[in-house]
Amino acid sequence: DQQVKQNSPSLSVQEGRISILNCDYTNSMFDYFLWYKKYPAEGPTFLISISSIKDKNEDGRFTVFLNKSAKHLSLHIVPSQPGDSAVYFCAARIQGAQKLVFGQGTRLTINP
Amino acid sequence: DTEVTQTPKHLVMGMTNKKSLKCEQHMGHRAMYWYKQKAKKPPELMFVYSYEKLSINESVPSRFSPECPNSSLLNLHLHALQPEDSALYLCASSQERTSYGYTFGSGTRLTVV
């Protein structure tokens, strides 16, 4: 039972354009949603998060949008830079629990 | 120090071997985690330690044995593993058990032959 889904295994974007990564979830008990970025041979690095009571959170070039009715969140990166090329994981925390549930990941490639 | 350090980075072991993975953090975090990640799959939680006590065991086989000797260290003892246990093992820590801002280590790439 995949509670957090990233349906696009890969995404290719031109440098300077917007990258949009998507994530869907099924569990209504998630209270925080997070995005992690992972380079090869490194552990995931926390990027940005959003509480379930918000619909938008922005941090520099990164914005996360949450649509609770659709159980969908997205990460926007503007403008995209070559250093953004990595695997991006969507994750969600069950309310009151210590556990993060991760999506399958999306490999983002930024082309010069 | 804002890092989680895992050793070794790579490990090859036979099915009859006993080995240990080590994880260390000096951020004062009181929750530490072991995750397992297979190729092209998301990280999956194995164990959670909160204030040096095991608080979550996600039905992990007993051939994996976690240990938390003190608030900075987390070990994962391995014995009689199977080839399907080959994976990237990630350690993470967070300030409190309900924090979501995990800091992950770089992982140990384990191959069981």
Side-chain angles (χ1 to χ4, degrees), chain A residues 32-104:
Chain A
Y32 269 99
F33 300 90
L34 305 89
W35 286 94
Y36 280 83
K37 176 180 178 180
K38 187 178 186 300
Y39 293 117
E42 293 185 14
T45 302
F46 171 71
L47 202 55
I48 191 169
S49 66
I50 187 167
S51 164
S52 60
I53 62 173
K54 302 277 179 86
D55 55 19
K56 178 182 175 181
N57 187 26
E58 192 172 353
D59 184 2
R61 296 186 299 115
F62 302 92
T63 303
V64 57
F65 295 92
L66 175 63
N67 182 333
K68 282 187 71 176
S69 60
K71 292 191 170 66
H72 177 83
L73 67 154
S74 60
L75 174 68
H76 292 211
I77 305 173
V78 181
S80 300
Q81 299 174 354
D84 296 330
S85 295
V87 176
Y88 288 78
F89 288 99
C90 172
R93 189 188 76 169
I94 297 174
Q95 187 175 7
Q98 295 170 280
K99 180 177 175 178
L100 286 185
V101 180
F102 285 83
Q104 305 273 50

Side-chain angles (χ1 to χ4, degrees), chain B residues 25-42:
Chain B
Q25 57 88 13
H26 296 286
M27 296 176 280
H29 288 175
R30 303 314 302 266
M32 296 185 76
Y33 312 80
W34 281 115
Y35 276 81
K36 173 181 177 179
Q37 186 178 19
K38 302 276 278 183
K40 299 190 190 304
K41 297 285 188 184

Side-chain angles (χ1 to χ4, degrees), chain B residues 12-78:
Chain B
V12 179
M13 61 184 289
M15 290 188 283
T16 58
N17 291 162
K18 283 185 182 180
K19 297 285 185 183
S20 296
L21 309 184
K22 296 186 184 303
C23 175
E24 190 168 2
Q25 57 88 13
H26 296 286
M27 296 176 280
H29 288 175
R30 303 314 302 266
M32 296 185 76
Y33 312 80
W34 281 115
Y35 276 81
K36 173 181 177 179
Q37 186 178 19
K38 302 276 278 183
K40 299 190 190 304
K41 297 285 188 184
E44 292 181 351
L45 182 66
M46 299 175 72
F47 301 105
V48 179
Y49 272 83
S50 181
Y51 290 86
E52 298 151 57
K53 294 193 185 308
L54 183 65
S55 59
I56 293 181
N57 177 341
E58 290 285 299
S59 303
V60 179
S62 59
R63 58 185 183 270
F64 295 90
S65 175
E67 178 197 18
C68 190
N70 60 55
S71 61
S72 300
L73 293 174
L74 186 65
N75 297 322
L76 186 62
H77 302 297
L78 314 173

